[in-house]
Amino acid sequence: MEITVQCCKQSKNDPFDDNDSENGTFLPGLPDDLAQRCLSSLSPSLLFSVCHSWRRLLYSPSFPPFFSLYALLSPLHNPTMALPREVPQSTIVFFSFDPISSSWRSLPSPPQNPSFHLLRRHPSFLSRNLPIQSLTVSNQLIVIAATTQNLFPALSSPLVFHPESNIWFYGPQISAPRRWCAAGSAQGVVYMASGFGSHYQGDVARSLEQWDLNKKRENWVWENKAGFKDGRFSREAVEAVGCRGKLCMVNVKGNALKEGAVYNVGLDKWEDMPVGMVAGWNGPAASMDEDEIYVIDEVKGRLSKYDGEKDCWVKVIELEQLKRAEHIAAGRGKICAVSAKGERIIVVDVRDKPTRFWEVEPPCGLEVVAVHVLPRMISRQH
C-alpha cells in the first residue's frame, strides 16, 4: 500500500498529452497486452502522473490492483462543515482512500433488503460509542456485528464488500446474531466467539463458530467449534488476532486488568495466552500477514511487536499521535491507526529504517470508526 502521494494533483490546464489515448495505445509500437505487462512493473504513482491513458489503465480491471485504505465512518456530533451529500445523518458510511490520487471515494450503498442500519450512538447513551465490528478476510471487507436503534443485533448475516467487483452481498445466516463478540480470521476462515445478543445467553457466551471463505459460496455455512469454558469474553467487542495458525484475544480493552485466550485453529483447542503477551496487550492490536502481531499502548502511544521466542513486546516507535488509539489495521508493511476519537488516521511504515509515519485526514464532517487495508476499487471515472 502506497500512502505517500508522489505526484501533483491535476489541474484543469493539465499538460497531459492524450494523443495515445485517442487511438487506444498505451505505448506506441507495442500491442496493448504487451504494453500492460511493461507498465505493470512501474510505480502506480508514476502511472497516475504521466498521462490520462496510463491513469485509466491503472484503474482498469485488467491492471494489478494497488492497495488502499478503507474506512467505516460516522458523522461527527457537531460537524463544522457540511457532510458530503452521499452521507446520511445517523448511520455508518463506507469510504475508500486512494493513496495515489490522495482522495476519498464513497463505496456503493450496501443492500437495503433487509433494512440496513448500524447505530454508532444511542440517544440514551450519548457518552458511549456502540461497537461496529469489521474485519478483512481474503481481500474482502466483512461487517460482522453491530447494534440497532432498539439495542438488538443489527446483522443476521455478515455483510461483505468485494473491492475488485464493487459489490456488497451477505454471507451465511448466523445462528445467534450478536451485538458484540470476539471476531477475527485466520487462513481465510472467519471466527466468531462468545458475545451478547438481544440478551445474555450462556451457550452463546461460550460458543465458537467458523465460516470458511475458502469454500465455494454455495457451501458457506457457520460451523460449531470448541467452545469457551465460561462466558468471560462476552463483555465487549473483542479483536481476535490471527497469527501463525492461532487466534489471540483479550477480554477487556485498554490498560485494565485482563485475561487472554488463544485458540489453536489446527487442533480446535483453547490455550492459555503467554504471560508476556497478555501483560503488554494494552491497546488495539492487529497482525501483519498473519505472521507478526502489533499492539499500540493507547496511554503511551507506543507501537510494539510481539516476540514469541522471548514472550515480550519490542518497541517499534512511540508517538504522541498514537495516544488514545482506538483501532488499528495492518497490511503491506503499514500499521494504520485510528486515533484522537476518530479525528485522524496515523500510518506507520514499519519496514522503513528509521520508522516513518504520516497522517491521513478523514472526509470533512466524519469521524473514523475503523480502517482496513484492501485492494483499490475499480473505477471508471479516471
Side-chain angles (χ1 to χ4, degrees):
M1 179 181 63
E2 297 183 34
I3 300 293
T4 49
V5 180
Q6 302 172 19
C7 59
C8 297
K9 290 186 177 180
Q10 182 183 355
S11 68
K12 292 183 179 179
N13 298 317
D14 200 326
F16 286 164
D17 181 0
D18 244 2
N19 291 334
D20 290 336
S21 65
E22 296 291 337
N23 56 32
T25 61
F26 297 116
L27 290 173
L30 287 179
D32 281 352
D33 58 344
L34 182 56
Q36 287 191 37
R37 291 177 61 185
C38 295
L39 294 174
S40 65
S41 63
L42 299 178
S43 165
S45 57
L46 177 61
L47 295 178
F48 183 90
S49 61
V50 170
C51 64
H52 288 302
S53 61
W54 287 15
R55 182 178 296 183
R56 280 191 286 270
L57 172 63
L58 175 64
Y59 291 94
S60 71
S62 62
F63 197 81
F66 57 86
F67 281 70
S68 302
L69 273 177
Y70 286 71
L72 283 69
L73 302 118
S74 175
L76 291 168
H77 282 299
N78 297 299
T80 56
M81 300 181 68
L83 293 173
R85 65 176 180 272
E86 64 267 37
V87 177
Q89 289 291 327
S90 60
T91 189
I92 292 296
V93 292
F94 303 87
F95 274 68
S96 173
F97 180 77
D98 183 336
I100 307 304
S101 63
S102 191
S103 61
W104 287 97
R105 178 186 171 202
S106 63
L107 272 61
S109 297
Q112 297 300 314
N113 186 19
S115 179
F116 179 79
H117 187 88
L118 307 181
L119 191 67
R120 177 63 169 166
R121 298 184 186 89
H122 193 280
S124 301
F125 309 99
L126 293 177
S127 62
R128 179 181 175 88
N129 288 330
L130 300 173
I132 292 100
Q133 291 178 259
S134 57
L135 54 153
T136 302
V137 187
S138 302
N139 283 335
Q140 298 174 96
L141 171 63
I142 298 177
V143 185
I144 201 165
T147 303
T148 67
Q149 185 76 23
N150 296 325
L151 299 180
F152 291 156
L155 295 168
S156 58
S157 298
L159 182 63
V160 185
F161 180 71
H162 186 254
E164 294 177 63
S165 60
N166 278 14
I167 61 170
W168 290 95
F169 56 91
Y170 283 103
Q173 178 84 24
I174 301 170
S175 60
R178 333 282 165 101
R179 280 190 285 155
W180 59 74
C181 55
S185 68
Q187 302 168 358
V189 180
V190 176
Y191 293 88
M192 178 167 34
S194 193
F196 196 98
S198 54
H199 59 278
Y200 178 83
Q201 294 176 278
D203 56 342
V204 172
R206 294 187 297 272
S207 68
L208 171 67
E209 297 178 72
Q210 73 168 33
W211 160 33
D212 190 348
L213 275 76
N214 298 304
K215 296 180 178 180
K216 292 183 178 179
R217 189 167 170 179
E218 58 267 26
N219 296 324
W220 282 354
V221 293
W222 287 96
E223 303 171 84
N224 290 323
K225 307 299 288 184
F228 284 108
K229 62 181 180 181
D230 56 46
R232 70 187 188 277
F233 280 79
S234 63
R235 300 172 187 172
E236 57 181 301
V238 172
E239 300 150 341
V241 180
C243 185
R244 302 183 184 182
K246 296 185 177 183
L247 285 171
C248 306
M249 63 196 82
V250 294
N251 66 330
V252 180
K253 294 181 179 294
N255 281 284
L257 184 65
K258 58 181 67 70
E259 296 178 69
V262 176
Y263 174 69
N264 189 311
V265 172
L267 298 178
D268 187 24
K269 178 182 178 182
W270 288 95
E271 304 169 354
D272 292 332
M273 180 176 283
V275 175
M277 177 182 278
V278 69
W281 198 306
N282 293 320
S287 68
M288 184 78 72
D289 304 321
E290 296 190 16
D291 185 57
E292 297 173 321
I293 298 179
Y294 290 83
V295 70
I296 293 178
D297 186 316
E298 59 187 41
V299 174
K300 298 179 181 178
R302 178 185 298 164
L303 172 66
S304 302
K305 180 174 69 173
Y306 181 66
D307 183 332
E309 293 184 1
K310 298 180 180 179
D311 187 25
C312 67
W313 293 90
V314 180
K315 175 182 169 181
V316 176
I317 194 172
E318 189 168 322
L319 299 169
E320 182 71 23
Q321 293 89 333
L322 291 177
K323 291 181 178 180
R324 297 182 295 149
E326 299 172 354
H327 173 85
I328 67 172
R332 316 296 290 183
K334 314 288 194 302
I335 301 295
C336 306
V338 179
S339 191
K341 296 184 178 180
E343 295 177 4
R344 59 190 175 201
I345 302 168
I346 311 299
V347 182
V348 181
D349 191 333
V350 296
R351 295 179 301 189
D352 272 5
K353 303 298 179 187
T355 304
R356 215 165 42 95
F357 74 94
W358 54 93
E359 294 187 17
V360 175
E361 293 186 2
C364 294
L366 297 171
E367 63 182 14
V368 186
V369 176
V371 292
H372 298 278
V373 179
L374 290 162
R376 60 91 177 96
M377 292 190 294
I378 292 174
S379 171
R380 306 186 188 282
Q381 301 176 3
H382 293 269

